[in-house]
Amino acid sequence: MDESRFQEIVEEIFERFKAYGVTKKEIENRLRLLLFEFKVPEEEARRTIINGLRKNYNISRADLKPPLTKISEIEPNKWVTLKAKVIQIWEPNSPAIAQSGLIGDETGTARFVVWAKANKRKLEEGKCYLFEKVVVDEFMGIKSVKVTSASDVREIDEEIEVKEEGGEVEVIGALVSIQQNSGLLQVCKLCGRVVKAGVCVEHGKVETNEILRVKGILDDGERTYDLILGEEVVKSLTEIGLKEARRLAEEHLDRGIVLIELKRKLLGKYLRIIGELRFRTLTARSAEFFRPKIIQEVQKVLEEAGA
Amino acid sequence: MIRAGRREVAKRVFSKEFNASKFKVGGEGEKEAVYVLTPLGLRCNRLFIVGVLLEKEEVKPDSDMWRVRISDPTGSFLGFISKFQPEALESLADINPPAIVAVTAKAKLLERGDRILPLIRPESINLISEFEFETRDYWIVETAKATLRRIRAIERGEEKLAVEKYNPDISEYRAMVIEVLNKLKEEYSAIEKKEEPFEEEEKDLGFELDEEIIDLSDFDIGD
């Protein structure tokens, strides 16, 4: 066992007992004894120490229920127990992962990963669970909760209101699809829905606003984002703003030409997006064509390949 | 708030790995999608490819069914575009081979008797201009990375099904990735070499050399 895993277990136990005056030293000594001298399996050692401390300090089992942590308070490398709702399940990108996705509670959201080795029942979107003994890690500023074989996950009969939080993220991916409701559009002044022949499905014959936008799918090979590019961002990428779009449409007597032009300039291109991620939807604040230093990227991957 | 159907991720795979596919997985139950299982264990339903459109040919005259071949550094993808892919069909009309294209496509296995043919059905196809060569090169890098990830998963024993079905030669695929990357590296090194002396010349001579005004014999140039 490596030192970091050892410390993880010490931390986990310490978190649960620190309120009772237990010291880290005490836990470390016992754990070292069981693991390294008696070669007891990790999980057995953990349980023995917890039971021993409970007896020594006269703590009832019910009192020792691990305290619940809110998602906004989770910290990397800590073992926590939390109640959360599964907001989304993504397609796992590795056979080592049984499930991954997004969970949330009233304080925020986090990614989660269930390892295949954990052998847990499948979680379902929209249901709420108690996640016991899950470990937190952080990758590129995004916190995620890992469900391991040491974790317990069970469904709870509670409704959790998830805070819809907006976090600024940077995503690099290919724009693999542009939806039909993109381009130069007439939208209802009341509800913002796209209006056809001056008629809104909700409000009937209405006054309209003219907007320019792109709705598409950004795909990094591991997950997809519903991407929204507003007029400013579209203009910065394509040099087609509302004015230019109107000119194009008038010239060709067809609004459709704007969408064709935007597709020609954007579809299948790699974009670097900085924007607001809300569940699946990524609203771009800024965007640029992603033009990496290829030679450096190649060198990195060659090293990975052990060439 | 939550959309029921999940969009399939467009996977990155080299044609050599994809074309060696013989098995499908999934498709059980009404909602589950069908995936092509590649020798390195990739389950793909949708692909994103940036490569060279080499051929475009109408299968039968006026059938509006087009056969396309799109190459990457390891081989080529065979694809069919028909009226069921209206967006791709429309774009294809304006693209003539050879041309670099970015393609989003469905991955399929065509079974004819005991012959199995991996192919793609492009949903969209777009021209990549010669000034955007990084798009293709970045696709190669990205695909190399994804391939290496799959190789490592097999080495760790995490990909039992593919190993059982294909027993892939890992060293062959690793050699393929390394070869592709080395080739790309060479290309870029060649570009850099070509550019350097040009820049130096510009730096040294900020003026035009006029031999009549400057008498070269005044300078000790040496041999």
Side-chain angles (χ1 to χ4, degrees):
Chain A
M1 168 185 292
D2 63 5
E3 187 59 26
S4 68
R5 175 76 190 122
F6 180 84
Q7 282 306 329
E8 257 174 44
I9 301 171
V10 173
E11 278 294 327
E12 185 221 337
I13 299 172
F14 179 65
E15 280 299 313
R16 296 174 70 178
F17 284 95
K18 64 179 175 191
Y20 300 96
V22 177
T23 63
K24 262 193 201 178
K25 196 86 213 132
E26 191 176 351
I27 299 165
E28 271 173 15
N29 290 343
R30 283 179 195 226
L31 189 61
R32 201 154 270 140
L33 181 77
L34 291 175
L35 283 177
F36 302 135
E37 280 182 40
F38 288 90
K39 315 274 182 210
V40 173
E42 186 184 309
E43 190 49 37
E44 289 302 320
R46 229 184 107 257
R47 196 183 346 163
T48 308
I49 292 171
I50 290 171
N51 286 343
L53 288 172
R54 217 164 43 75
K55 248 175 235 152
N56 285 357
Y57 289 81
N58 226 341
I59 308 161
S60 78
R61 207 176 274 274
D63 283 345
L64 201 63
K65 273 266 158 75
L68 288 178
T69 307
K70 294 295 175 204
I71 286 181
S72 62
E73 289 162 358
I74 60 175
E75 283 174 43
N77 303 319
K78 288 270 165 69
W79 289 76
V80 295
T81 291
L82 41 90
K83 280 181 185 172
K85 183 176 193 167
V86 175
I87 303 164
Q88 279 174 19
I89 291 173
W90 305 328
E91 203 183 321
N93 53 38
S94 153
I97 294 172
Q99 278 186 307
S100 67
L102 202 63
I103 55 172
D105 66 11
E106 58 281 1
T107 68
T109 56
R111 293 180 177 211
F112 76 90
V113 168
V114 183
W115 297 116
K117 278 193 182 144
N119 225 348
K120 300 292 180 213
R121 275 176 56 184
K122 291 260 175 190
L123 304 180
E124 287 174 46
E125 263 182 28
K127 289 194 172 167
C128 298
Y129 298 87
L130 177 69
F131 295 84
E132 276 186 288
K133 288 173 277 174
V134 290
V135 62
V136 183
D137 76 4
E138 190 171 355
F139 181 66
M140 287 171 66
I142 296 163
K143 283 178 192 147
S144 91
V145 168
K146 305 277 196 273
V147 178
T148 72
S149 54
S151 313
D152 287 312
V153 180
R154 60 169 192 275
E155 197 184 332
I156 49 173
D157 194 19
E158 274 174 55
E159 181 56 31
I160 295 171
E161 280 293 321
V162 175
K163 182 188 173 202
E164 286 204 23
E165 64 174 344
E168 194 178 79
V169 293
E170 184 193 295
V171 182
I172 294 162
L175 188 62
V176 296
S177 169
I178 292 178
Q179 287 161 22
Q180 232 19 62
N181 56 354
S182 302
L184 185 63
L185 305 165
Q186 302 276 103
V187 297
C188 171
K189 261 195 178 159
L190 297 169
C191 66
R193 282 193 182 85
V194 175
V195 165
K196 276 187 187 143
V199 177
C200 168
V201 286
E202 185 74 24
H203 300 99
K205 219 164 168 53
V206 286
E207 282 191 50
T208 59
N209 285 329
E210 196 165 41
I211 63 157
L212 179 74
R213 71 151 182 233
V214 169
K215 279 191 168 188
I217 306 285
L218 195 73
D219 184 319
D220 65 6
E222 284 169 23
R223 66 169 288 197
T224 65
Y225 301 81
D226 294 346
L227 179 66
I228 299 173
L229 308 175
E231 190 216 331
E232 287 295 310
V233 179
V234 171
K235 191 175 176 183
S236 75
L237 284 169
T238 63
E239 288 168 359
I240 298 176
L242 202 50
K243 223 170 105 189
E244 172 69 8
R246 282 191 184 125
R247 197 187 59 74
L248 272 170
E250 273 166 32
E251 229 171 65
H252 291 80
L253 301 170
D254 178 14
R255 277 171 190 285
I257 189 72
V258 177
L259 181 55
I260 291 171
E261 273 302 298
L262 292 177
K263 276 187 180 172
R264 204 174 56 73
K265 291 184 181 225
L266 295 172
L267 197 57
K269 310 288 173 76
Y270 287 98
L271 301 178
R272 181 210 294 270
I273 305 288
I274 292 171
E276 209 44 59
L277 183 61
R278 196 172 274 203
F279 302 146
R280 225 182 279 267
T281 305
L282 178 61
T283 308
R285 225 175 271 159
S286 70
E288 59 180 23
F289 291 106
F290 181 56
R291 305 243 159 88
K293 289 252 179 296
I294 297 288
I295 189 104
Q296 285 167 14
E297 295 285 323
V298 168
Q299 201 55 47
K300 254 192 275 169
V301 187
L302 272 173
E303 275 158 31
E304 255 178 64
Chain B
M1 179 182 77
I2 295 158
R3 204 169 52 188
R6 270 196 302 283
R7 184 184 164 93
E8 292 288 343
V9 173
K11 299 296 173 71
R12 292 15 171 195
V13 59
F14 286 123
S15 60
K16 184 174 168 172
E17 179 186 340
F18 180 71
N19 289 339
S21 305
K22 293 187 171 72
F23 301 99
K24 290 181 214 169
V25 288
E28 283 153 31
E30 259 173 59
K31 281 182 188 163
E32 201 188 356
V34 180
Y35 299 86
V36 174
L37 178 73
T38 72
L40 294 181
L42 175 69
R43 291 150 170 81
C44 53
N45 169 283
R46 176 178 276 131
L47 302 177
F48 176 65
I49 302 159
V50 185
V52 182
L53 176 71
L54 286 178
E55 286 173 25
K56 138 185 170 189
E57 192 180 46
E58 203 165 13
V59 174
K60 266 184 245 159
D62 299 322
S63 62
D64 242 1
M65 163 78 112
W66 295 79
R67 190 181 70 89
V68 293
R69 205 152 62 78
I70 295 155
S71 83
D72 71 6
T74 71
S76 64
F77 294 91
L78 173 66
F80 288 95
I81 301 175
S82 71
K83 63 174 191 291
F84 297 109
Q85 294 84 36
E87 192 183 342
L89 191 64
E90 202 181 309
S91 319
L92 187 70
D94 298 327
I95 305 174
N96 289 311
I100 300 178
V101 289
V103 177
T104 307
K106 286 285 183 182
K108 303 274 176 191
L109 279 186
L110 186 69
E111 292 169 62
R112 285 244 174 93
D114 46 1
R115 276 191 60 209
I116 293 168
L117 188 63
L119 53 85
I120 59 169
R121 302 299 306 257
E123 298 167 299
S124 73
I125 178 165
N126 196 25
L127 190 68
I128 301 292
S129 86
E130 57 190 302
F131 307 111
E132 300 171 298
F133 54 88
E134 294 106 329
T135 305
R136 176 176 55 161
D137 296 342
Y138 187 65
W139 180 84
I140 295 171
V141 172
E142 215 186 28
T143 306
K145 257 195 238 175
T147 310
L148 286 176
R149 266 205 298 274
R150 293 195 280 278
I151 291 173
R152 279 197 295 270
I154 289 186
E155 284 172 336
R156 286 196 302 263
E158 285 163 9
E159 192 43 75
K160 297 205 170 56
L161 184 64
V163 171
E164 186 189 302
K165 297 252 184 200
Y166 293 100
N167 192 23
D169 182 351
I170 300 295
S171 60
E172 190 190 325
Y173 282 105
R174 176 176 279 121
M176 169 192 85
V177 172
I178 292 172
E179 195 193 322
V180 165
L181 291 171
N182 274 332
K183 224 169 161 186
L184 198 56
K185 194 173 144 186
E186 268 170 41
E187 279 170 35
Y188 274 86
S189 310
I191 294 172
E192 274 179 16
K193 269 187 205 122
K194 241 186 259 166
E195 281 173 354
E196 269 166 24
F198 182 72
E199 276 177 15
E200 273 170 28
E201 235 172 287
E202 290 250 306
K203 249 179 259 159
D204 289 346
L205 307 171
F207 55 91
E208 280 203 3
L209 192 66
D210 193 335
E211 287 185 34
E212 280 176 16
I213 296 170
I214 302 168
D215 187 355
L216 287 176
S217 62
D218 286 346
F219 293 93
D220 183 15
I221 303 172
D223 298 305

